[in-house]
Every structure is written in structure tokens, then in C-alpha cells.
Amino acid sequence: MAIHSFYVIAWDSGQPLYHRTFVEVSDNPTLLSGLLASVELLALKITQQHVNVVTMRDSRFLFKVDNDNGLLLVFITDITEDPERFSEYLDMLHERFLEIFEDPAHKLPVYQRDPRRAKVFDELVDSLVSHWETGEASILSAKIMDILDVYTVFYNLTLQKILSDRSREMHYPDIKRIFETHLQSDPALRHMSVDQHGVVSYDQVNPDLVRLQSLVDTLHLILQELIAIARRTRRRQSYETLFFEHFAPMIKAENERLKEYNLTEKLVMELL
């Protein structure tokens, strides 16, 4: 799941007021709540500012401090998720938490364990997270297919326009090996194929099974080796002429997607 856990923590004591976990974890909620509160306090002490996002190798922690009500809210998500969008999700849960646990007899909402209110909030959180997960899965699949498409455009240009027919035929065993070697890193990518005409296809790839974290690195390594072959088969001046004839117009045409996925610098520098 994209969303791992959601915590509401007492800002003054670091004690968990509410937590909901959507993946199996071994962490003690009380210990983790204290640790998360300590991260915020340390940031506040050192920088005089609250920390909003902490990114680790496999997880991202999104923080929101509600000083008026003495709350710290934390979302723990996959590293691949959009922190801005998930911050909006966290804002929504914050609002609903205050609504459900509010008590007219008190100035501030009541946070003690109330089984009835807790059950209502559990059901609400589960419903929202389920809808968000569905939406995130669709967004992620579209992003993966877009990235595959962008790189495939440049693969096909390299193989069909930069390499001559004779060079492509001569180097086809190496080209095939390049794809097979690097695509082994992700079983879902093994369905990508390249034929003797230099046509790369990813139609059989299931984006729901692709690991986004390593996707760009894998695709870029393939491009590096294809460009290396192309450079070896062309004189420098010939390659530069073909670059401006074929690559430059495509870079311009794909500018929006290159920027969207932060590929511009990495990909363009490889082609130059």
C-alpha cells in the first residue's frame, strides 16, 4: 500500500492519541509516537521551524503540527508518493479528527479513548484511505507507462535513425543482450522487447507490477549502452548532425513529460 500508517500524537507528551496502521509493522505505537514527536522538537530547537517532510530510504514521513489543539499528525507513506498531495490528505484527516472528537462541553476536542467515536473515525479513515489508494494506484500506473513511453521514443530513435540498418543488424545480438541484462532487475519489465528492426515495445508490461523506484535507473542504463553503440558506429560530426536532426526536435516535443518526471537533464546530457 502507498499509505503505511496514520498517527495523531499529543504534542506536549509524545503519547499516541490515535493510530491506524495499514501494513504489518513491529513498531510499538507508543515508542514510535515519542520518536516522531522528538523529530519535530529537534527540528524546532535547531531551526526554529517545524519539519514538514522526512524522507528515508523506503518511507516518507509527513508531519503537521496543530499548536492550537496540541496535536502532531503524521502520515507514513511509500517513498514514491507525492508529498504535496499526501499533505492534503493529512489536512483532511486532521479536520475530520477534530470534528468527530469534539465535545461541546469542552473548549478543546476530547481525545480520550471513546470506543464509539473511535469506531466512527476508524471507519472514516479506512474508507478515505481505500479511495486514496485506488486513486494513487491509477496515478502511479499512468506515470510508469508515461516514463516507459518517453524512453521508448528515444530507444526507437537511436535504433532506427542514429544507427544505420547495417549497423543495427551487425549489433543486434549486443542490443538484445543490453535489454535482457538490464530488464532482469525487475521481473515485470522482462515483457519489454526489441526486434531486429529496432522497434522497442512495452505493450505487455503490467504497470501495476513495476517497481517505480528503480524504473528510471534501469531504463537509463539501457539508453546509455545504446548511445555508446551509436557513437562507436558514427563519426563525431555525423552523430552531432543526427542529434540535431532527430533528437533535438524530439526533446522539444517531449519537453513537458521530461520536466514532469525530472528527466530533462539526465536524458539530454546522455544524448549530447
Side-chain angles (χ1 to χ4, degrees):
M1 294 182 73
I3 300 171
H4 297 182
S5 305
F6 167 59
Y7 279 79
V8 181
I9 302 166
W11 179 227
D12 57 349
S13 66
Q15 293 298 308
L17 300 173
Y18 178 89
H19 77 276
R20 198 71 167 159
T21 301
F22 306 99
V23 296
E24 186 175 350
V25 294
S26 58
D27 298 314
N28 182 300
T30 301
L31 293 177
L32 183 56
S33 295
L35 177 62
L36 294 171
S38 297
V39 170
E40 271 291 352
L41 286 169
L42 182 61
L44 193 60
K45 183 175 181 180
I46 294 175
T47 68
Q48 286 74 56
Q49 293 182 333
H50 289 293
V51 63
N52 296 319
V53 180
V54 172
T55 300
M56 303 185 73
R57 187 180 67 176
D58 298 319
S59 301
R60 179 172 283 129
F61 296 75
L62 294 97
F63 296 84
K64 180 177 182 181
V65 176
D66 176 356
N67 285 311
D68 292 339
N69 295 298
L71 299 176
L72 170 64
L73 299 96
V74 183
F75 239 168
I76 306 175
T77 74
D78 283 349
I79 192 69
T80 56
E81 308 311 325
D82 182 348
E84 184 175 345
R85 190 165 59 251
F86 273 75
S87 291
E88 293 175 0
Y89 295 160
L90 188 58
D91 288 343
M92 187 180 300
L93 288 179
H94 176 211
E95 293 174 3
R96 301 309 298 273
F97 179 84
L98 294 178
E99 290 172 4
I100 288 175
F101 286 91
E102 185 177 12
D103 191 325
H106 295 74
K107 180 180 178 182
L108 297 178
V110 176
Y111 304 126
Q112 68 263 28
R113 295 187 179 278
D114 180 330
R116 180 185 61 81
R117 299 189 194 200
K119 182 179 179 182
V120 170
F121 194 57
D122 282 348
E123 292 174 351
L124 172 66
V125 171
D126 290 350
S127 176
L128 288 174
V129 167
S130 177
H131 283 93
W132 292 337
E133 285 285 351
T134 300
E136 289 300 317
S138 297
I139 292 170
L140 181 60
S141 293
K143 181 176 182 178
I144 287 170
M145 296 304 281
D146 244 7
I147 292 173
L148 282 167
D149 191 60
V150 168
Y151 269 94
T152 298
V153 165
F154 288 96
Y155 292 159
N156 288 337
L157 272 182
T158 304
L159 295 173
Q160 299 169 29
K161 301 296 184 180
I162 308 302
L163 282 172
S164 67
D165 291 345
R166 185 172 181 275
S167 293
R168 186 178 62 246
E169 181 180 351
M170 182 185 306
H171 289 281
Y172 180 68
D174 291 330
I175 293 168
K176 189 175 180 181
R177 175 192 54 76
I178 289 168
F179 278 89
E180 289 176 348
T181 299
H182 292 297
L183 296 180
Q184 291 298 315
S185 64
D186 188 338
L189 292 177
R190 293 175 190 173
H191 295 289
M192 285 187 74
S193 62
V194 56
D195 65 20
Q196 292 181 332
H197 303 290
V199 176
V200 177
S201 173
Y202 60 91
D203 295 344
Q204 301 303 311
V205 173
N206 183 350
D208 296 336
L209 303 178
V210 174
R211 296 194 297 266
L212 178 61
Q213 286 176 273
S214 60
L215 176 64
V216 172
D217 288 339
T218 297
L219 297 180
H220 195 73
L221 287 171
I222 293 172
L223 183 63
Q224 279 183 325
E225 295 198 31
L226 295 180
I227 293 298
I229 291 176
R231 289 180 182 277
R232 288 200 303 269
T233 64
R234 295 283 185 181
R235 293 178 179 175
R236 180 175 179 178
Q237 186 175 358
S238 174
Y239 179 84
E240 291 177 354
T241 299
L242 290 168
F243 172 87
F244 287 106
E245 182 179 351
H246 298 293
F247 283 140
M250 189 56 67
I251 290 169
K252 183 177 181 180
E254 293 291 350
N255 182 51
E256 290 301 319
R257 290 201 294 180
L258 292 174
K259 288 195 299 184
E260 174 71 19
Y261 304 122
N262 299 314
L263 300 175
T264 305
E265 183 175 350
K266 188 172 185 179
L267 191 144
V268 173
M269 290 304 295
E270 191 62 50
L271 300 176
L272 281 173

